[in-house]
Amino acid sequence: GVGKMLATVDSPLNHLTCDKMRHLLLLKNSEKYLDRLGDNLQSQLRLSDKMQDTIAELKERVVEAERTYEDVEPKLKRAIAVTKELKGCVEKHLSIRYKGRPVRIMGDINTL
């Protein structure tokens, strides 16, 4: 009946009015639409190039940071060792001053 005929007409009509078809028709018939899409693509290409440059710069920074860490790490380990040694000496000398009672320095120094 009528429902079947309506379905027969709706199917091709839906294909003609879908977003893809509208997009294709605008590409074919509208110079402004085509220019706008071209400008949008150019903008995205520039943004992509900029992001690639940023990625390369960040990779260089990572390499430099790793190099700096490798330079600083031995100095830091040595400073920590000297600090712990000094802490032990201070505790020992304070213990002597307090007639042999044990002295323990507390605080952030113990987290090294």
Side-chain angles (χ1 to χ4, degrees), residues 38-75:
D39 291 344
N40 190 9
L41 287 174
Q42 288 293 331
S43 175
Q44 288 180 358
L45 183 61
R46 284 190 299 274
L47 184 61
S48 173
D49 290 341
K50 187 176 179 181
M51 291 297 149
Q52 291 295 331
D53 292 343
T54 302
I55 288 170
E57 182 181 322
L58 289 174
K59 284 181 180 179
E60 289 174 17
R61 285 185 184 180
V62 166
V63 169
E64 187 175 330
E66 287 172 347
R67 233 182 278 127
T68 301
Y69 177 75
E70 289 171 1
D71 291 343
V72 171
E73 184 183 24
K75 295 174 187 174

Side-chain angles (χ1 to χ4, degrees), residues 17-49:
T17 59
C18 72
D19 286 341
K20 282 185 181 181
M21 186 58 71
R22 188 177 54 79
H23 182 66
L24 288 172
L25 287 172
L26 283 170
L27 282 173
K28 183 177 187 235
N29 297 325
S30 175
E31 194 71 32
K32 285 182 180 181
Y33 184 72
L34 194 58
D35 289 342
R36 203 169 47 231
L37 281 179
D39 291 344
N40 190 9
L41 287 174
Q42 288 293 331
S43 175
Q44 288 180 358
L45 183 61
R46 284 190 299 274
L47 184 61
S48 173
D49 290 341

